[in-house]
Amino acid sequence: GKDVHPQEQLDLCLKALSCYKGDFLPKSASEEWVIPLSTYYRGLYVKCVEKTAQLLTKVGRYQEIVDIAQQAIVVDQFEEAFHRVLLCALTAMGSYQRAMAHYEHICGLFYRELGVKPSEELQELYQDLVQNTLQAETNLETVKEELQETSLKQGVFFCEYEVFKNIYQLQARV
């Protein structure tokens, strides 16, 4: 409920995730009475993964989200929600190359096995990822330019003692 403390919610979600081991009675999966129960429990698991990721995002625990999403993908590699959770966590961590590689893997998997492309929602996540990657590369270029401009200046170099100490130690190692 809404009155439950977020940490308590998180603990309950993590406990629930550890209980789910896959489809309900997999050997009897085709039996009529098993199908609705299996679908129900699978739906609860998906919601629980999403809720846990949401709670962990609020406290910046992205590596745990990555671990949970990867475990969930082992349970069902065709559940887009799990891939969405993983891509969001990787992007939040700044692991853009890993996220890009995973998106390409999803595209190949979905096309090869299901003959479909990822949903619009996943494609939008990919567009955001491309933007973040470009921004990160641009920021790196900006830093390079700033460093280059500084190195071209003539005259005395003034800096704090700690900076001087670090430069001296770096030069001593060279």
Side-chain angles (χ1 to χ4, degrees):
K2 293 192 186 290
D3 54 345
V4 181
H5 189 272
Q7 183 57 51
E8 200 178 335
Q9 283 183 34
L10 181 56
D11 293 341
L12 290 168
C13 284
L14 291 168
K15 200 171 185 179
L17 287 178
S18 69
C19 292
Y20 189 80
K21 304 295 181 198
D23 285 339
F24 179 68
L25 298 176
K27 289 181 181 173
S28 307
S30 59
E31 303 239 358
E32 264 184 58
W33 69 275
V34 173
I35 296 168
L37 284 171
S38 184
T39 304
Y40 172 72
Y41 291 129
R42 172 62 63 93
L44 283 180
Y45 178 65
V46 173
K47 283 180 186 167
C48 192
V49 167
E50 291 176 315
K51 179 66 177 174
T52 307
Q54 185 186 3
L55 291 166
L56 287 169
T57 297
K58 286 180 182 172
V59 289
R61 289 161 59 181
Y62 301 113
Q63 186 54 54
E64 286 176 65
I65 299 171
V66 169
D67 297 340
I68 287 166
Q70 287 175 329
Q71 288 166 10
I73 288 166
V74 170
V75 170
D76 184 358
Q77 63 180 335
F78 298 112
E79 177 53 64
E80 278 204 0
F82 302 153
H83 295 290
R84 199 167 47 246
V85 164
L86 179 58
L87 288 173
C88 287
L90 289 171
T91 302
M93 289 167 68
S95 299
Y96 305 128
Q97 294 309 317
R98 274 179 71 192
M100 291 278 236
H102 186 74
Y103 181 81
E104 285 164 19
H105 162 73
I106 299 165
C107 287
L109 176 73
F110 279 44
Y111 187 75
R112 193 174 58 250
E113 301 294 327
L114 305 174
V116 298
K117 60 183 182 179
S119 68
E120 274 185 39
E121 199 174 350
L122 269 181
Q123 289 177 49
E124 282 171 20
L125 267 179
Y126 175 71
Q127 292 305 321
D128 291 344
L129 184 56
V130 169
Q131 287 301 111
N132 282 321
T133 306
L134 289 173
Q135 198 173 351
E137 287 170 0
T138 305
N139 289 346
L140 188 59
E141 285 304 313
T142 307
V143 169
K144 278 184 188 174
E145 282 172 26
E146 285 173 8
L147 289 172
Q148 226 170 9
E149 282 177 24
T150 306
S151 66
L152 296 174
K153 289 180 182 170
Q154 300 295 314
V156 178
F157 177 74
F158 176 80
C159 63
E160 298 292 325
Y161 177 68
E162 281 300 311
V163 175
F164 171 76
K165 210 165 75 173
N166 289 332
I167 292 170
Y168 176 83
Q169 288 168 347
L170 185 65
Q171 284 300 315
R173 289 179 190 178
V174 171

